[in-house]
Amino acid sequence: MGNIKIGLLQFFTLTVLFELGTALVVNLGMESDKDAWISILLGNLIGLIVFAGYAYLYRKFPNLPLTAYIRQLFGKYVGSLISIAYIVIFLNLAGRDLRDGSSMLVMATMHRTPLFIVAMLMVLSSAYVLHKGVEVLSRTSLVFAVIVILIGLFCSSMLMFSGSINLNRLLPVFENGIKPIVSSVLHQNYIFPFGEMICFTMLMPYLNNVKKGPWVIAAGIFVSGILLSMTMALNISVLGTDIVRRSPFPLMPTISKISISDFIQRVDILIVMVLIIGVFFKLSVFFAAALIGISELFKIPYRRMVYPVALIILFSSMLNARSFTEHIEEGGKLLYTVFPFFMVLIPLLLIIITAIRSHSSPPRSG
């Protein structure tokens, strides 16, 4: 990929948009009922701890992506198999996010548009940007982060002025105790979306500042966790827990409550814009991680694989489930069965092996 270097601000905005992704519009953490916003904050804290492990590995191997130092630590053959597994995971997550985004768009606005057409346009737009380079994706995130922030501020202000927010719907806190919150975190909130930052281990070698880079990304994770928690609290305070739990995209009916003097109404299109932006960046980051892994492992030029990989992502998104309901159920199972193995356990093993080697290696002369 050449000598690409990405600035700290660009990495920050890319992190925030990646973390918001589809998590901003779904009923995240509703296993803990009206305390969903608390479970998101707790998941954010655990996600930061997990990312601290990724940052440790990055500082030990600042110029290598995950697939490269896996082979250094586990050996050529075992490491290659694990690297291929990570590439498959990145492709699977990209396909799942593509299915999420295209299905949400079809159900929300484009009722008569074939799902395949929507998904194809989304993945081709991502492929076009990545063909220009990962640095182009990171620069683009600066522009779209400003758009998302402005939309968020506008919608929140309009909900306040329209009198739709009832904070009493968030009370009492811990009504059902701590157990539902812990269960929600373990089954969903620390992996989705915070544990998915594993893909950034493929992008972090392109940071232009080794010391400050991990801190900036951690700040992006923290900010996105606060925004997700505030969004879920807003959904509950406007709609109530029953409606939020039943709705696959509660942010849409929340924003539809905006009505000021019969003048400002029907601003749902703004949430559709946020959804498209979030899905685009989340899909693109997983896409880029898979491309970097393939290029590094198989020594294939990066740009040569962009469109073939785009086709793999497109067809995997269409074939991974027969319906959106089945797609959601399958994703829920993966969150606490397969993904923790790749996002927590293997990185933990890498950290232990790296620490042992660093401790046992002889000191440098001088």
Side-chain angles (χ1 to χ4, degrees):
M1 289 181 62
N3 297 319
I4 298 171
K5 289 299 176 183
I6 302 174
L8 297 180
L9 181 59
Q10 295 167 346
F11 246 102
F12 176 82
T13 54
L14 190 62
T15 301
V16 172
L17 291 177
F18 172 83
E19 290 286 78
L20 295 182
T22 55
L24 193 66
V25 296
V26 300
N27 50 7
L28 185 65
M30 282 310 293
E31 186 178 339
S32 52
D33 206 56
K34 65 181 66 176
D35 294 326
W37 63 278
I38 300 175
S39 67
I40 294 172
L41 290 177
L42 185 56
N44 188 19
L45 176 62
I46 296 175
L48 285 169
I49 294 171
V50 172
F51 178 75
Y54 303 159
Y56 172 81
L57 292 170
Y58 166 65
R59 288 195 173 96
K60 292 295 183 180
F61 307 97
N63 299 315
L64 298 178
L66 174 67
T67 51
Y69 58 75
I70 278 178
R71 296 202 305 281
Q72 280 196 14
L73 296 174
F74 282 123
K76 179 180 179 181
Y77 298 106
V78 175
S80 295
L81 290 175
I82 297 174
S83 297
I84 292 171
Y86 268 105
I87 293 170
V88 172
I89 287 292
F90 295 146
L91 291 173
N92 176 264
L93 286 168
R96 295 195 62 81
D97 284 317
L98 179 61
R99 180 65 177 267
D100 284 338
S102 54
S103 297
M104 289 176 187
L105 282 175
V106 169
M107 286 189 282
T109 55
M110 306 176 183
H111 306 295
R112 297 188 179 183
T113 307
L115 182 65
F116 181 81
I117 299 300
V118 176
M120 181 179 67
L121 292 174
M122 293 180 75
V123 76
L124 286 179
S125 64
S126 177
Y128 174 77
V129 172
L130 289 177
H131 192 269
K132 297 296 181 182
V134 176
E135 70 276 20
V136 175
L137 177 69
S138 63
R139 291 172 193 158
T140 307
S141 69
L142 279 170
V143 179
F144 284 104
V146 174
I147 295 173
V148 170
I149 290 170
L150 291 176
I151 290 175
L153 291 173
F154 172 78
C155 292
S156 301
S157 302
M158 292 301 101
L159 281 170
M160 291 176 62
F161 290 135
S162 63
S164 301
I165 299 176
N166 181 4
L167 295 179
N168 290 325
R169 293 193 175 103
L170 295 171
L171 301 175
V173 179
F174 298 115
E175 181 180 17
N176 300 312
I178 194 70
K179 187 176 179 181
I181 296 175
V182 173
S183 177
S184 177
V185 170
L186 294 178
H187 282 83
Q188 183 186 56
N189 292 353
Y190 86 99
I191 291 293
F192 175 73
F194 306 111
E196 293 176 334
M197 287 297 296
I198 184 70
C199 64
F200 271 69
T201 56
M202 304 298 291
L203 303 179
M204 287 167 71
Y206 306 111
L207 273 164
N208 66 357
N209 191 315
V210 175
K211 291 184 178 179
K212 295 181 180 179
W215 290 103
V216 170
I217 297 174
I221 298 171
F222 178 75
V223 169
S224 61
I226 298 297
L227 292 175
L228 289 172
S229 179
M230 291 173 61
T231 302
M232 186 50 61
L234 187 67
N235 290 336
I236 296 171
S237 62
V238 172
L239 301 175
T241 53
D242 291 338
I243 297 176
V244 174
R245 191 184 300 107
R246 290 197 299 266
S247 175
F249 325 119
L251 193 58
M252 296 287 287
T254 297
I255 299 304
S256 68
K257 296 291 184 180
I258 294 177
S259 178
I260 299 178
S261 301
D262 295 329
F263 176 66
I264 300 179
Q265 292 180 322
R266 303 297 300 172
V267 294
D268 310 37
I269 186 62
L270 297 177
I271 301 306
V272 174
M273 288 176 59
V274 171
L275 170 63
I276 293 172
I277 292 169
V279 170
F280 171 79
F281 280 98
K282 193 156 192 179
L283 162 66
S284 297
V285 171
F286 281 129
F287 192 169
L291 285 172
I292 293 168
I294 292 170
S295 177
E296 189 276 329
L297 183 61
F298 299 106
K299 311 304 178 186
I300 301 174
Y302 168 88
R303 286 180 172 85
R304 185 182 296 177
M305 292 302 298
V306 170
Y307 290 102
V309 171
L311 288 176
I312 293 172
I313 293 172
L314 175 61
F315 285 104
S316 69
S317 72
M318 294 293 102
L319 299 175
N320 68 359
R322 290 169 293 182
S323 66
F324 187 66
T325 302
E326 182 180 325
H327 169 75
I328 294 296
E329 291 176 353
E330 180 185 291
K333 292 177 182 177
L334 291 173
L335 281 176
Y336 59 88
T337 55
V338 177
F339 292 160
F341 180 76
F342 288 94
M343 298 176 185
V344 179
L345 294 181
I346 290 181
L348 182 60
L349 284 175
L350 292 172
I351 291 168
I352 293 171
I353 295 172
T354 302
I356 291 172
R357 287 191 176 187
S358 299
H359 181 73
S360 60
S361 60
R364 297 178 181 178
S365 59

